[in-house]
């Protein structure tokens, strides 16, 4: 058994590890392999890839992502081995906080490594879409908003991650309230990140996102979003835990109206 970095020519072989119900994992690992702040690894037995995972570094914060073990090789300690290896990568990059989103299968593995549950994300889904009018307060992103959004995102996430989010800003939208920016939506970032400091801004930006999506994933603390989704007929279909190892950070879960994704938060 060997543990090595995933190379670009490994990507085609990853399809055999695709979990049922997950989005295609190959594009994610394509991103990890080609990004210098990501560290994807593979476990091989007799030259066959039987387990994978990735560490994503945002300054002194790390996210562990796509920890997957082939069904034929589960209950052999490989999930624990992958998790420990990814944690070591985070520590070697001076990260004092490590996050991940846990599946029901993975949660006991991560708890053994010292991860604690920080919140639960509620997953909502409904096929029917609404044809809402777009609020006049919602405007396309402009370069002059960048520094405001840098501070805004850090206040919401507790992370210095904007250096990795910048490429998605040009396709984004902001909610302007006079001279203030009360929220933003990045449709091309993960599942379409929505963050806002006020209920009105958050709901209006969420409406914009729901024009192109039939689902939403929000922290349990965001009661305004939960109420809105319930009122328009969206049903909660499952929950996933966001877990943390190391320093607790000032994350404003009430201001998240749709998460980025399971690999970044």
């Amino acid at each position: 058994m060997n543990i090595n970095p995933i190379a670009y020519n490994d990507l085609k072989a990853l399809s055999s590890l695709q979990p049922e119900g997950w989005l295609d994992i190959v594009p994610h690992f394509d991103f990890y392999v080609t990004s210098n702040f990501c560290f994807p690894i593979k476990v091989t037995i007799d030259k066959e890839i039987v387990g994978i995972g990735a560490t994503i570094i945002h300054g002194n914060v790390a996210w562990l992502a796509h920890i997957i073990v082939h069904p034929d090789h589960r209950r052999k300690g490989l999930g624990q081995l992958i998790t420990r290896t990814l944690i070591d990568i985070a520590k070697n990059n001076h990260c004092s906080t490590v996050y991940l989103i846990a599946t029901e299968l993975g949660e006991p593995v991560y708890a053994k490594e010292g991860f604690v549950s920080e919140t639960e994300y509620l997953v909502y889904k409904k096929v029917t879409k609404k044809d809402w009018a777009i609020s006049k307060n919602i405007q396309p992103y402009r370069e002059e908003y960048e520094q405001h959004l840098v501070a805004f995102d850090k206040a919401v996430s507790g992370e210095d991650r904007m250096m990795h989010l910048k490429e998605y800003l040009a396709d984004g939208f902001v909610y302007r309230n006079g001279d203030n920016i009360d929220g933003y939506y990045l449709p091309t970032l993960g599942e379409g990140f929505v963050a806002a400091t006020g209920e009105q801004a958050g709901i209006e930006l969420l409406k914009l996102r729901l024009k192109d999506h039939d689902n939403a994933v929000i922290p349990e603390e965001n009661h305004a979003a939960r109420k809105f989704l319930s009122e328009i007929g969206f049903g909660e279909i499952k929950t996933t835990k966001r877990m943390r190892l190391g320093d607790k950070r000032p994350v404003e879960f009430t201001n998240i109206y749709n998460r980025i994704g399971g690999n970044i938060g």
Side-chain angles (χ1 to χ4, degrees), residues 98-103 106-108 110-122 220-221 239-249 251 253:
V98 182
Y99 292 118
L100 56 77
I101 304 297
T103 62
E107 183 185 352
Y110 309 136
K112 286 181 182 178
E113 294 301 317
F115 282 87
V116 296
S117 179
E118 193 167 62
T119 190
E120 283 196 333
Y121 281 119
L122 311 181
E220 61 180 343
E221 291 88 348
T239 63
T240 59
K241 291 187 183 296
R242 169 173 162 149
M243 303 185 77
R244 184 193 78 250
L245 178 69
D247 294 345
K248 185 176 182 179
R249 293 175 181 267
V251 185
F253 291 113

Side-chain angles (χ1 to χ4, degrees), residues 4 19 30 44 47 59 102 137 180 185 192 229-230 239 241 255:
N4 297 106
D30 189 331
T44 57
K47 297 184 180 180
N137 295 78
N180 298 321
Y185 168 40
L229 291 169
S230 177
T239 63
K241 291 187 183 296
N255 292 345

Side-chain angles (χ1 to χ4, degrees), residues 8 14 21 56 79 136 140 151 167 178 228 232:
Y8 195 82
L14 301 187
I56 303 165
K136 294 180 180 179
E167 64 181 287
F228 168 71
I232 63 174

Side-chain angles (χ1 to χ4, degrees), residues 113-165:
E113 294 301 317
F115 282 87
V116 296
S117 179
E118 193 167 62
T119 190
E120 283 196 333
Y121 281 119
L122 311 181
V123 181
Y124 291 83
K125 186 174 179 66
K126 183 177 174 65
V127 175
T128 304
K129 300 178 183 179
K130 302 287 185 179
D131 188 23
W132 289 291
I134 302 303
S135 169
K136 294 180 180 179
N137 295 78
I138 295 178
Q139 301 177 5
Y141 169 81
R142 301 203 305 243
E143 287 188 10
E144 64 192 72
Y145 301 148
E146 181 176 319
Q147 290 307 309
H148 182 95
L149 293 190
V150 168
F152 194 121
D153 187 76
K154 184 175 181 179
V156 171
S157 69
E159 302 178 47
D160 290 310
R161 63 184 187 181
M162 187 55 74
M163 72 286 286
H164 305 319
L165 273 56

